[in-house]
Amino acid sequence: MLNLILFGPPGSGKGTQSEKLIAKYGLKHLSTGDILRSEIAQKTPLGLEAKNIMDKGQLVPDEVVIGMISCALETNPGAKGFLFDGFPRTSAQAEALDKLLELKGVSINRMLAMEVSEEELVNRLLKRGETSGRPDDNNEGVIRARIAEYHNKTAAVAEYYQKFDKVVRVKGEGGVDEIFQSLCNEIDAVMQV
Ligand code: ADP
């Protein structure tokens, strides 16, 4: 099994690159942001609770997203591997993910951390907000709050996997295909091990 985390701040291109990576490597894409937005669209109780938090640019409680991932792992028993996108976002989520994978006798092979400057992130998210319909993308205050959550709570997740030597950093600025190629080079290197 190949289990990867695509990591980076909001707007770093995780969604765009995920689509290309799952197509190439046949992985199951698990994006907590996408799952939450689908819950909101279906107006489930979980979705209604999450919407208020997401609209402010804050993180949804750990137990909610951990439960979602646990359920997604159970419903995909035959997957060749998983691409985690937007998860784990806190150290508690990282520890929970490691335990869930351990139960399946597997682990994270690599964290691919995409690096993009803060001004570029804000510009990209404001531009995406013109067409995405995402309420968290069309307000600069909310975008800055999301980036602050990333620095305060999420950046530490890279340090967690760094301890196990699992992190590779990839430049997230440049053309989409160029960035994709850098990610593929790192994945191909893991697959040869
Ligand atoms: P982006 O990375 O562009 O901010 P996402 O779709 O990954 O977009 O996340 C959107 C929002 O969903 C986040 O701001 C947060 O409120 C919520 N969210 C997504 N994943 C998580 C997670 N793992 N833990 C807590 N909140 C999450």
Side-chain angles (χ1 to χ4, degrees):
M1 242 186 147
L2 178 67
N3 295 305
L4 304 171
I5 297 172
L6 192 56
F7 187 78
S12 55
K14 300 186 297 288
T16 306
Q17 296 297 337
S18 287
E19 294 304 325
K20 296 170 75 73
L21 291 169
I22 55 164
K24 175 160 177 173
Y25 294 98
L27 303 172
K28 173 78 189 160
H29 184 202
L30 292 185
S31 157
T32 40
D34 286 352
I35 302 173
L36 288 165
R37 280 185 290 276
S38 141
E39 297 277 342
I40 293 174
Q42 293 170 57
K43 298 194 165 59
T44 64
L46 189 157
L48 295 176
E49 183 196 337
K51 183 174 173 23
N52 290 324
I53 302 172
M54 289 166 74
D55 285 352
K56 285 188 256 173
Q58 294 167 358
L59 293 186
V60 171
D62 286 336
E63 59 274 19
V64 172
V65 285
I66 292 167
M68 283 171 10
I69 288 291
S70 166
C71 179
L73 291 177
E74 269 172 38
T75 47
N76 290 282
K80 268 175 71 180
F82 293 98
L83 178 67
F84 297 95
D85 161 8
F87 180 91
R89 250 177 161 97
T90 63
S91 303
Q93 292 178 23
E95 284 168 28
L97 176 62
D98 278 0
K99 291 211 179 87
L100 288 170
L101 292 177
E102 206 179 304
L103 290 174
K104 297 170 80 74
V106 295
S107 62
I108 290 296
N109 301 92
R110 272 287 180 284
M111 167 183 272
L112 305 160
M114 298 211 285
E115 299 190 314
V116 176
S117 75
E118 184 147 336
E119 282 325 295
E120 171 76 10
L121 294 175
V122 176
N123 288 338
R124 285 186 189 179
L125 290 168
L126 283 171
K127 191 154 178 35
R128 183 168 82 185
E130 292 169 10
T131 54
S132 70
R134 276 180 56 170
D136 58 346
D137 278 347
N138 55 23
N139 174 311
E140 185 164 343
V142 174
I143 290 173
R144 299 255 177 217
R146 284 157 62 200
I147 295 173
E149 285 281 74
Y150 172 81
H151 288 303
N152 293 337
K153 299 177 184 162
T154 305
V157 177
E159 286 156 35
Y160 173 87
Y161 286 103
Q162 188 76 56
K163 280 190 298 200
F164 306 103
D165 236 354
K166 290 190 171 173
V167 183
V168 287
R169 295 179 195 275
V170 172
K171 192 169 143 241
E173 292 186 45
V176 168
D177 289 331
E178 185 191 339
I179 299 165
F180 178 60
Q181 196 50 55
S182 313
L183 293 167
C184 292
N185 291 345
E186 297 297 346
I187 297 171
D188 293 343
V190 185
M191 289 171 71
Q192 277 166 13
V193 177

